[in-house]
Amino acid sequence: MATAALLDAAGIAVDVLEQTERPSDRSKATTVHPRTLEVLRSVRSGSISLADRMVAAGTPLPATHFGLLPELLDYRNLDTPFPFVLMLPQADTEAMLAAHLAARGVPVSRGVRVDHIAGEGDAVRLSCGGPGGAHARTAQWVVGADGARSTVRRALGIGFPGTEPTLCGFIADVELDAPPAHPHLWNAATGSLNALPLPSGGFRVFGCAARDTGLDPVAVRERRARPLARGELRELMTAIAGTDWGLRKVIWSSRNTDVTRHVERNRLGRVLLVGDAAHIHLPAGGQGMNVGIQDAANLAWKLAAEIHGWAPTRVVTGAQSYQAERLPIARRLADNTLAQAAISMTFSPAGAALRRLLGDLIAQGGDAAGGIAGWLSGLDVHYPPPGGAHPLAGHRVPDLSTEHSSLHALLAPDRFVLAAFGGPVPEVPVSTAPAATVVPAATAKKWAGLTLGLVRPDGHLADGWPRHPTPETLRSAVACWTQATSNRQTRNPS
Ligand SMILES: Cc1cc2nc3c(=O)[nH]c(=O)nc-3n(C[C@H](O)[C@H](O)[C@H](O)COP(=O)(O)OP(=O)(O)OC[C@H]3O[C@@H](n4cnc5c(N)ncnc54)[C@H](O)[C@@H]3O)c2cc1C
């Protein structure tokens, strides 16, 4: 739905197909990181953005954890309008996205299951099933946002390599009569147990028993397939913490594993993959939904540009394409979550030593803490600069204030911003060919030693200049990002 909302914001007609007939009230994700809120500012109804609505509904927390360490990463000084982690159940985020799409007139067809897809000339044919019966649809483009078991990914035969699961954790939303004073508990012999307060009251209890680690994949799958009954949850909690914290009610429960995979490619012809369809991992640090929405922000403007006919080759198949920029992020996500599994679920003296060492580094608040916070928050996620561009190209530009508003408020998936950092805005080069809109803006102060920058629709720097470039340099830099470079055919999957 986030991809649909961002494509709609770029003027693309979208249809959402969803196999379930009703939204789920089970929230997997609860944590929303700052960069996700930043990119959802581009999803607007009137003057209110989806990010505004989410912040109004959620609970901001000043800090977050890495690998469940008690020494927290402080978000309060991050350079963003959202210097906090927002606790908001995924069901609420999805409901707000659904309401936004409904208000915009974007159709969401529920009870429609995609069973197969195949390329058909310049289009993609979808074979669908569900309560409404079997039928076929045709789309010019398809974005597979269909989760870990993605039918779209399988239909395309895209490889999904990774590491097999070695552990089986547990998770439940519960009501507790005697919640713990501290949310994280490790018992070197028996496992870990955590209880985080939920915005709606109640607690999210999760952890892993030491006996459920170091397993072979078959044993993990067997364990994962067994429903987690209330009695077993109580027994697990008591074995690890010596108490069930007054477990009164189990709202829902599940198990998770550290199986970690990402796609070999996230695009084939006119079909693209986002979110869990492209990467799966242990839920650690609240990242899957966040990285998925950030995938969508990278994808939407590029796909819209391609559909509108002004996309330069660099963003379609080149070094700044969705695939080139987001596959490395999926790899980092895999590493990051596997590292958190090692930190939080190694029940041995070595595991305890690792936790002490990392905890000390985070408590010192230096570069190590800053680097981890930069990744988790999404604010330091950046892409390699194109050859010949300023070294900061590919970095996120912060939300600098402008005379009437701020830089991020000007961003949208259908336009670039030519930002004069603390000075007068030069004339924006005008193109006669189909091209992206380029909006001028003057920020109140300089940024990173630059006087001028071309900012991409997703808020990353396309190119920047310490001194004002000549009109010719500026014209060619703007053209190479905002104009199609050649006529090209996008080959379809067969
Ligand atoms: C316990 C737990 C806690 C988590 N906590 C966090 C957190 O705090 N923060 C965070 O960022 N992430 C968290 N995550 C991860 C997050 O929930 C996922 O990364 C996120 O839901 C992925 O979104 P998605 O849209 O890619 O896939 P999904 O949420 O799986 O959505 C896919 C949708 O596609 C539909 N679908 C599937 N196949 C078809 C088909 N063939 N035809 C039509 N429709 C189809 C499904 O019904 C579903 O609605 C957590 C995960 C778990 C398990």
Side-chain angles (χ1 to χ4, degrees):
M1 283 194 286
T3 310
L6 287 158
L7 283 168
D8 169 65
I12 303 298
V14 198
D15 250 311
V16 179
L17 308 180
E18 165 57 50
Q19 65 184 0
T20 58
E21 291 185 78
R22 273 175 300 282
S24 168
D25 56 2
R26 290 186 175 189
S27 287
K28 293 183 285 184
T30 49
T31 306
V32 185
H33 287 286
R35 183 66 184 142
T36 304
L37 292 168
E38 286 190 353
V39 301
L40 290 177
R41 278 179 91 180
S42 293
V43 176
R44 300 187 185 102
S45 307
S47 60
I48 300 185
S49 75
L50 190 69
D52 297 331
R53 290 183 202 281
M54 290 168 69
V55 171
T59 308
L61 298 179
T64 193
H65 72 85
F66 179 72
L68 301 175
L69 293 170
E71 297 82 3
L72 298 179
L73 297 159
D74 192 342
Y75 274 17
R76 284 173 301 180
N77 294 322
L78 295 179
D79 186 4
T80 169
F82 309 103
F84 46 79
V85 271
L86 187 72
M87 298 301 286
L88 182 68
Q90 186 168 342
D92 293 1
T93 301
E94 290 181 6
M96 285 181 217
L97 274 164
H100 172 83
L101 293 176
R104 293 279 311 155
V106 175
V108 177
S109 305
R110 285 198 162 270
V112 177
R113 188 187 64 243
V114 176
D115 291 325
H116 192 67
I117 65 162
E120 194 177 72
D122 276 350
V124 183
R125 186 179 163 83
L126 299 96
S127 312
C128 302
H135 62 281
R137 293 176 181 233
T138 304
Q140 278 187 296
W141 301 83
V142 168
V143 178
D146 52 344
R149 293 166 208 268
S150 173
T151 302
V152 174
R153 185 185 68 230
R154 288 167 199 230
L156 296 184
I158 291 180
F160 200 40
T163 55
E164 291 292 325
T166 64
L167 58 85
C168 186
F170 58 88
I171 181 161
D173 285 356
V174 301
E175 290 175 12
L176 300 175
D177 284 331
H182 194 281
H184 305 300
L185 185 148
W186 273 283
N187 181 322
T190 54
S192 77
L193 185 62
N194 308 271
L196 296 178
L198 294 169
S200 53
F203 287 82
R204 170 153 295 184
V205 167
F206 59 99
C208 188
R211 64 169 192 242
D212 289 338
T213 62
L215 303 176
D216 66 64
V218 176
V220 173
R221 288 194 184 101
E222 273 171 15
R223 214 154 295 197
R224 168 110 172 69
R226 285 204 317 256
L228 176 61
R230 179 192 166 105
E232 191 192 349
L233 179 64
R234 187 187 299 280
E235 185 262 315
L236 280 163
M237 293 172 73
T238 310
I240 297 166
T243 162
D244 67 0
W245 290 331
L247 179 65
R248 185 179 352 121
K249 183 175 174 191
V250 179
I251 298 158
W252 67 274
S253 62
S254 180
R255 301 182 202 261
N256 50 51
T257 79
D258 60 343
V259 61
T260 303
R261 301 181 184 282
H262 64 76
V263 282
E264 287 170 338
R265 53 190 304 166
N266 56 24
R267 172 175 184 160
L268 189 57
R270 289 173 168 250
V271 185
L272 300 98
L273 296 167
V274 291
D276 280 15
H279 35 72
I280 57 166
H281 51 83
L282 181 78
Q287 295 184 76
M289 181 188 73
N290 283 276
V291 174
I293 292 174
Q294 291 164 39
D295 283 347
N298 186 287
L299 176 156
W301 71 270
K302 295 174 183 174
L303 180 54
E306 200 170 345
I307 296 169
H308 287 312
W310 60 258
T313 304
R314 61 167 62 210
V315 306
V316 179
T317 52
Q320 284 75 49
S321 64
Y322 171 63
Q323 173 151 302
E325 291 194 332
R326 292 305 290 184
L327 266 192
I329 302 300
R331 284 184 209 116
R332 276 189 74 184
L333 176 64
D335 276 353
N336 180 286
T337 47
L338 280 172
Q340 290 194 68
I343 295 163
S344 61
M345 294 179 187
T346 304
F347 305 108
S348 65
L354 178 63
R355 288 191 281 276
R356 282 195 297 275
L357 182 96
L358 263 172
D360 282 351
L361 281 174
I362 288 177
Q364 284 164 22
D367 287 351
I372 297 171
W375 162 265
L376 278 187
S377 65
L379 298 177
D380 282 353
V381 168
H382 56 270
Y383 312 120
H390 189 276
L392 278 177
H395 284 251
R396 158 194 167 272
V397 182
D399 189 27
L400 304 163
S401 58
T402 60
E403 194 187 350
H404 298 294
S405 170
S406 75
L407 188 67
H408 285 195
L410 295 171
L411 294 173
D414 62 349
R415 66 169 88 126
F416 283 71
V417 175
L418 186 61
F421 298 116
V425 196
E427 203 170 310
V428 177
V430 181
S431 163
T432 48
T437 307
V438 181
V439 180
T443 67
K445 56 180 185 183
K446 278 203 167 220
W447 174 65
L450 299 181
T451 55
L452 190 69
L454 181 65
V455 185
R456 303 176 359 173
D458 58 7
H460 289 254
L461 188 71
D463 206 348
W465 299 270
R467 283 179 298 281
H468 272 287
T470 63
E472 188 40 45
T473 303
L474 182 58
R475 190 172 308 112
S476 93
V478 170
C480 82
W481 276 97
T482 63
Q483 274 175 248
T485 24
S486 63
N487 285 334
R488 86 183 78 70
Q489 289 285 317
T490 304
R491 287 169 61 88
N492 248 328
S494 54

